Amino acid sequence: MEKLVIRGDRELRLSGEVRMSGAKNAILPAIAASLLTSEEIRLSNIPRVKDVETILTLIAELGGAYQVDGDTVSLRVPKIRSDEASYELVRAMRASILVLGPLVARFGKAVVALPGGCAIGSRPIDLHIAGLQKLGATISLEHGYIQAQADRLRGAVVEFEKKTVTGTENLLMAAALAKGETILKNCAREPEVVDLAVLLNKMGAKIEWLDADTARVRGVRELGGAAHDIISDRIETGTFLVAGALTAGDFLLRNVCPEHMATVIEKLRASGAIVEIEGENALRVAGSREVKAQDIMTSPYPGFPTDMQAQFMVLLTQATGTSIITETIFDRRFSHVNELVRLGASIEVQGDKAVVKGKTLLSGAEVIATDLRASAALVLAGLVAAGETTINEIEHLDRGYERIEEKLRGLGASIERVKA
Ligand code: EPZ
């Protein structure tokens, strides 16, 4: 077990430049897509994070082979020796559900443990199951496992009751090999979903977007290999932009996709920070000591990302005035509030809303991380909390952030990883 120790400084100003990693939520479906073909898939700009290790372990357990070389992974799944994603792996990472669609589509069978809930909510997968049933899969839920079978999936019209990122990704992958045409309605359009469709089309799939949230997929018999650069991580980028706004810093972020950041940049500018696009894929952030309060409501892309809610809440604790954050995606995504209150924040949760009163001076304390983005929020708070903040159970953080302490140290923060 490890922990992060941060020596906070209310006058800290981060400076210099930092390079963002590839998107965790883009690489996970891209790796799952390797199950759809017997040829090689080569993915570059991959983040070295725990979740990537977990899904590569799952691919190997299913019978695939992979080779990691720097920031590139090559995968090949000529056949499988198992069609089961164990509870142990699915419990470690609910995104393991992304092997369900590809396994049924290519091999006609999948046995995937039902992902449990997690710290941010109940996380059902009923929309994944309903969609695959529409494509002709026979699905039963027994002993905590999803048993899915289909001789060959058949194209159909599938309308998602609500926008689901991995649900859309599972159905895009399944429909790519189904017989005939599939229309997917009310799709999630997060950049990571769009990036998966780009990869699938490189593999020979026939996916086109008919409008903002409708995809038409003309099934093919077989998919081939492809090479693909994973998009950069818009949530890691957002996290570092908030670090700049929070510390009145002034630094450059490289390897970013500004076009994926519109809503986050708009809210940061409204809070008083300067955020400028510098060339093709770099952003400059310059924070202000005067942070303005504002209301935030999370919503599916292109709205304000739920994965940025906890981080932005930290910035709003330093704003003068009252801000209201409404979390509309998950039913329990305020676990970071109690820990922020221990650092001196004034936040009150009322149902799906968190009322943040600022400006509160934060002071360091021992805190515990509960999920990936809550952990990131505690790191941000520790930067500007007077004294020492110790963050325990940082394995959550390592699931989705690559060497966060090194990146922050490179910008001038006093933060180190120690044995717990
Ligand atoms: C993806 O999770 C991301 N994970 C999450 O990022 C992100 O928070 C979430 O999308 C929302 O943007 C990956 O991409 C690996 P959903 P996902 O299905 O696909 C409900 C992070 O921090 N729902 O879009 O699991 C669900 O309960 C992680 O990187 C159903 O009701 O989320 C939620 O309320 C956390 N039935 C809403 O839809 C279903 O079958 C959106 O969930 C599926 C979802």
Side-chain angles (χ1 to χ4, degrees):
M1 295 278 269
E2 295 177 307
K3 57 188 181 181
L4 287 181
V5 178
I6 305 170
R7 290 212 56 72
D9 170 0
R10 286 179 181 152
E11 303 307 313
L12 176 66
R13 287 174 180 274
L14 296 177
S15 61
E17 64 177 66
V18 63
R19 188 178 188 285
M20 297 292 96
S21 300
K24 163 183 87 83
N25 291 349
I27 185 68
L28 295 178
I31 289 174
S34 66
L35 292 166
L36 291 166
T37 175
S38 59
E39 296 177 15
E40 183 179 83
I41 298 292
R42 200 144 38 77
L43 305 169
S44 307
N45 191 33
I46 66 166
R48 306 306 301 270
V49 294
K50 190 83 185 69
D51 276 6
V52 170
E53 290 167 26
T54 303
I55 196 162
L56 288 174
T57 304
L58 174 51
I59 296 292
E61 279 195 3
L62 293 170
Y66 68 88
Q67 172 85 30
V68 176
D69 179 10
D71 83 341
T72 298
V73 61
S74 304
L75 298 116
R76 191 184 275 273
V77 190
K79 59 186 186 323
I80 57 171
R81 65 161 179 271
S82 156
D83 52 24
E84 177 170 329
S86 70
Y87 178 55
E88 184 197 357
L89 270 169
V90 174
R91 190 176 54 180
M93 183 186 66
R94 50 171 293 103
S96 309
I97 192 70
L98 284 165
V99 303
L100 177 63
L103 283 175
V104 178
R106 179 164 167 228
F107 301 103
K109 189 163 184 290
V111 180
V112 178
L114 271 167
C118 70
I120 62 178
S122 51
R123 311 292 295 274
I125 49 148
D126 54 315
L127 303 179
H128 299 239
I129 291 171
L132 289 172
Q133 286 173 324
K134 272 282 176 67
L135 297 188
T138 306
I139 296 187
S140 62
L141 305 180
E142 286 159 26
H143 313 298
Y145 277 76
I146 303 160
Q147 317 256 351
Q149 282 195 308
D151 295 338
R152 184 169 182 208
L153 294 174
R154 292 183 315 279
V157 175
V158 176
E159 179 152 12
F160 292 103
E161 256 175 55
K162 62 194 314 189
K163 288 186 185 297
T164 161
V165 171
T166 49
T168 303
E169 291 165 345
N170 246 331
L171 268 293
L172 282 170
M173 291 189 279
L177 285 179
K179 183 172 172 37
E181 179 179 279
T182 295
I183 302 287
L184 300 177
K185 294 183 171 180
N186 197 24
C187 293
R189 282 301 296 273
E190 271 67 3
E192 295 77 23
V193 175
V194 174
D195 200 43
L196 173 67
V198 170
L199 168 61
L200 292 172
N201 282 342
K202 284 183 180 177
M203 293 165 65
K206 296 185 178 357
I207 299 170
E208 54 187 311
W209 295 102
L210 301 181
D211 61 33
D213 47 16
T214 307
R216 172 164 64 191
V217 186
R218 281 173 288 158
V220 295
R221 198 78 191 85
E222 198 160 76
L223 290 171
H228 185 61
D229 259 352
I230 296 297
I231 54 171
S232 81
D233 195 318
R234 62 193 169 98
I235 305 300
E236 182 189 33
T237 304
T239 304
F240 276 81
L241 287 173
V242 169
L246 194 59
T247 61
D250 189 341
F251 59 88
L252 264 184
L253 297 88
R254 297 205 177 284
N255 189 34
V256 304
C257 297
E259 64 275 17
H260 297 160
M261 309 295 305
T263 317
V264 172
I265 290 173
E266 177 199 326
K267 289 294 184 183
L268 281 165
R269 287 174 175 161
S271 75
I274 293 169
V275 182
E276 285 165 352
I277 295 177
E278 301 267 332
E280 183 73 352
N281 49 12
L283 285 171
R284 174 182 167 247
V285 59
S288 142
R289 282 283 172 227
E290 289 304 309
V291 179
K292 297 188 185 74
Q294 61 182 304
D295 294 345
I296 300 281
M297 179 178 280
T298 64
S299 64
Y301 193 86
F304 190 89
T306 174
D307 292 348
M308 278 299 302
Q309 179 254 105
Q311 300 91 310
F312 215 87
M313 185 183 284
V314 178
L315 180 61
L316 294 176
T317 68
Q318 301 308 299
T320 307
T322 300
S323 305
I324 299 178
I325 297 178
T326 307
E327 172 56 62
T328 71
I329 307 290
F330 289 110
D331 50 6
R332 269 201 327 271
R333 197 169 199 172
F334 285 136
S335 63
H336 41 286
V337 169
N338 294 334
E339 297 306 301
L340 292 175
V341 168
R342 295 192 60 242
L343 294 172
S346 168
I347 309 168
E348 196 187 328
V349 174
Q350 298 163 6
D352 64 350
K353 291 177 179 18
V355 181
V356 184
K357 286 190 170 56
K359 173 172 182 165
T360 52
L361 295 182
L362 303 180
S363 58
E366 183 133 15
V367 287
I368 193 157
T370 47
D371 74 81
L372 170 55
R373 307 303 172 184
S375 313
L378 295 175
V379 172
L380 293 173
L383 296 177
V384 291
E388 190 167 280
T389 294
T390 300
I391 302 169
N392 295 300
E393 299 196 19
I394 56 168
E395 59 276 10
H396 297 289
L397 199 59
D398 293 337
R399 291 187 49 183
Y401 287 92
E402 181 177 357
R403 305 185 339 283
I404 193 169
E405 72 275 11
E406 288 175 26
K407 291 178 179 175
L408 284 169
R409 227 178 3 249
L411 293 172
S414 166
I415 175 172
E416 57 180 352
R417 178 186 292 258
V418 298
K419 286 270 171 272

